[in-house]
Amino acid sequence: MENNHFPITNWSEDDKPREKLMLKGKSALSDAELIAILIGSGSRNESAVDLSKRILAKVANNLNSLGKMSMAQLMEFKGIGEAKAISLIAAMELGRRRRAEEAVELTKITSSKSVFEIMQPIIGELPHEEFWILYLNNSNKVISKAQISVGGITGTIVDVRLVFKMALEKGATALILCHNHPSGTLVPSDADKQITKKLKLAGDSLDVKVLDHLIVTETKYFSFVDEGIF
């Protein structure tokens, strides 16, 4: 069988991913070319770029889906060993952390969307539920965010006393409730509604306003205030 593989070393300078990045800048590279730089090399019968294209095709060219792949899943691809899988996972995690840090810069809450932009990188892609609070000052600026509880796939328990103990310690005048639904559903459960009501009543008695409750998924969110059920 004729071998049509053409190694990257034989490509023109413009077509080599590393050289292309140096000559034209990072934005000139495709996702596959950037991944090829991470994995470094392909195999005797497949270039690093072709291997990267094959990996991306498996996740429908969705980088979020790629970021969720485990080491074992990545190593199912011929040409991806432990070291290359680790490099890919590390790069995906750095990207996720960068998004989280960029979101922190959105310190002033102006809408439910701004809450989503802060919290989605933190809880939007988790396989279990977590309940978080954004603590705000009287200018609606985020002075702190805190994980209140971690649960399973379908729920988490919230300690009302802990929520407001932290609010008083931080000098917060308002707070926003946030939790994720790993299932992707944006329909609030009865438990979601009950804990919202309980926290809102507690906040009223302590003069700490509960401004909203967001349910966060990977790509969307549900705002109790926006939906008129707060």
Side-chain angles (χ1 to χ4, degrees):
M1 182 180 294
E2 183 181 357
N3 186 349
N4 294 320
H5 172 56
F6 192 50
I8 287 179
T9 51
N10 293 334
W11 293 11
S12 71
E13 290 298 309
D14 280 357
D15 290 331
K16 295 178 183 178
R18 290 186 182 86
E19 286 76 3
K20 187 173 180 180
L21 188 149
M22 289 187 289
L23 291 170
K24 298 183 178 180
K26 59 188 178 183
S27 61
L29 275 69
S30 66
D31 291 345
E33 289 170 327
L34 290 170
I35 292 170
I37 291 174
L38 288 171
I39 63 179
S41 62
S43 64
R44 187 176 63 178
N45 298 315
E46 185 177 43
S47 72
V49 173
D50 288 336
L51 173 55
S52 300
K53 288 179 179 178
R54 187 156 56 89
I55 293 170
L56 285 171
K58 183 72 173 180
V59 294
N61 292 303
N62 187 305
L63 292 177
N64 279 329
S65 297
L66 177 61
K68 294 178 182 179
M69 294 185 77
S70 66
M71 186 179 299
Q73 289 173 319
L74 288 168
M75 289 174 65
E76 289 178 1
F77 292 95
K78 184 178 179 180
I80 297 293
E82 188 176 88
K84 291 178 181 178
I86 289 172
S87 293
L88 283 172
I89 289 171
M92 294 295 111
E93 176 62 14
L94 282 172
R96 187 194 68 79
R97 294 185 186 185
R98 180 184 177 187
R99 282 192 297 147
E101 288 183 0
E102 288 175 342
V104 171
E105 295 174 6
L106 300 170
T107 54
K108 186 176 178 64
I109 300 301
T110 57
S111 66
S112 57
K113 184 180 179 182
S114 61
V115 178
F116 174 73
E117 288 171 345
I118 291 173
M119 295 306 302
Q120 192 281 334
I122 300 172
I123 62 174
E125 299 174 14
L126 296 177
H128 59 272
E129 278 201 17
E130 291 189 5
F131 200 101
W132 284 66
I133 304 288
L134 293 183
Y135 292 98
L136 314 179
N137 62 18
N138 56 12
S139 298
N140 280 355
K141 290 186 177 180
V142 179
I143 54 177
S144 180
K145 60 183 183 295
Q147 180 197 78
I148 300 301
S149 63
V150 178
I153 295 174
T154 58
T156 181
I157 297 172
V158 178
D159 185 335
V160 175
R161 292 170 300 179
L162 176 61
V163 170
F164 288 98
K165 177 177 180 290
M166 295 177 70
L168 296 173
E169 288 175 349
K170 299 173 186 300
T173 59
L175 53 85
I176 295 174
L177 321 176
C178 305
H179 79 283
N180 62 311
H181 277 182
S183 65
T185 179
L186 289 175
V187 178
S189 66
D190 288 339
D192 294 338
K193 294 175 183 177
Q194 289 168 11
I195 192 60
T196 303
K197 184 177 180 180
K198 193 173 183 180
L199 287 165
K200 191 175 180 183
L201 288 171
D204 289 342
S205 66
L206 294 170
D207 201 25
V208 178
K209 295 181 180 178
V210 177
L211 300 179
D212 201 353
H213 186 171
L214 263 69
I215 298 171
V216 176
T217 66
E218 184 175 346
T219 58
K220 298 178 181 179
Y221 68 93
F222 180 97
S223 162
F224 278 54
V225 169
D226 292 353
E227 298 300 325
I229 63 171
F230 194 66

